[in-house]
Amino acid sequence: AQSVSQHNHHVILSEAASLELGCNYSYGGTVNLFWYVQYPGQHLQLLLKYFSGDPLVKGIKGFEAEFIKSKFSFNLRKPSVQWSDTAEYFCAVIRRSGAGSYQLTFGKGTKLSVIP
Amino acid sequence: SQTIHQWPATLVQPVGSPLSLECTVEGTSNPNLYWYRQAAGRGLQLLFYSVGIGQISSEVPQNLSASRPQDRQFILSSKKLLLSDSGFYLCAWRGLAGYTGELFFGEGSRLTVL
């Protein structure tokens, strides 16, 4: 079965520190990859996504993620975090599971707390 | 533009009582619809998804059921709630035309079973 692993449950950083959140998936075929973010009291929203092409994907608010196929990874990065980046971050993977159907799997999430 | 609505936003129910959470999507037709449950430290668990009216797939056996009476309406139900049904429930949709795989989420419904 397909699985998505986010290795860090809770990350605490000071403002201006660099961020990298890990995400690994288990499926060996063609996948589409996503990072979603949930700010306190708000709904889940898409941060960035990878379908094909350049494996370095730029998202909103200065986030980026790099797809490394050989490592089955899609780590999220930001060079300098802000207090407003405090949120929970979810990695997700979608793959074709049959004719016209797709399997979407989420990681368990990483809570990021940024200290001013 | 497309929007998704969930209600109620907050619900407190006694054990054994019924449940109905409703989700509607506007601005799109024939969306794929999803119900997820979000638990702290456990991420998003897919409960049900629907590719069309009357078509429901269940991902995990449980005390809940789902129905899709109309193209843009998705309902999560229970006949008798359990304490373990407490949680944060999210409805989401994904369009088929120009498929991108991206899910759009509602604001969630927090259910507390006492």
Side-chain angles (χ1 to χ4, degrees), chain A:
Chain A
Q2 178 174 288
S3 67
V4 179
S5 300
Q6 290 183 244
H7 313 296
N8 306 104
H9 176 59
H10 191 186
V11 173
I12 303 173
L13 294 173
S14 299
E15 274 194 316
S18 64
L19 169 73
E20 181 159 3
L21 302 182
C23 173
N24 288 89
Y25 61 95
S26 62
Y27 182 65
T30 301
V31 294
N32 295 339
L33 302 155
F34 306 83
W35 275 98
Y36 285 84
V37 59
Q38 187 173 29
Y39 297 102
Q42 297 187 28
H43 62 276
L44 273 162
Q45 56 188 291
L46 185 69
L47 197 57
L48 50 78
K49 59 187 177 185
Y50 170 80
F51 280 1
S52 62
D54 189 346
L56 186 61
V57 180
K58 303 283 187 184
I60 60 172
K61 302 185 181 184
F63 285 91
E64 65 179 30
E66 185 174 12
F67 170 51
I68 303 179
K69 190 173 182 179
S70 60
K71 294 185 178 180
F72 300 92
S73 70
F74 190 55
N75 292 354
L76 180 71
R77 300 195 294 247
K78 186 171 184 178
S80 176
V81 295
Q82 301 171 314
W83 177 77
S84 58
D85 294 323
T86 296
E88 191 159 14
Y89 294 81
F90 294 89
C91 181
V93 175
I94 191 167
R95 68 172 179 93
R96 287 185 183 273
S97 58
S101 64
Y102 300 84
Q103 181 177 0
L104 174 64
T105 307
F106 280 87
K108 293 186 177 181
T110 298
K111 190 174 180 180
L112 172 65
S113 298
V114 180
I115 302 169

Side-chain angles (χ1 to χ4, degrees), chain B residues 3-4 16 21 88 106:
Chain B
T3 57
I4 180 169
L21 298 179
F88 191 57

Side-chain angles (χ1 to χ4, degrees), chain B residues 31-74:
Chain B
N32 282 358
L33 296 172
Y34 304 80
W35 277 110
Y36 283 89
R37 179 162 52 201
Q38 184 180 9
R42 293 168 62 182
L44 288 160
Q45 180 187 32
L46 179 62
L47 302 176
F48 300 95
Y49 70 93
S50 171
V51 298
I53 295 173
Q55 300 179 63
I56 308 294
S57 296
S58 174
E59 289 295 304
V60 291
Q62 58 208 328
N63 187 43
L64 303 169
S65 61
S67 61
R68 187 168 176 175
Q70 300 179 43
D71 181 44
R72 286 170 283 181
Q73 185 184 29
F74 202 26

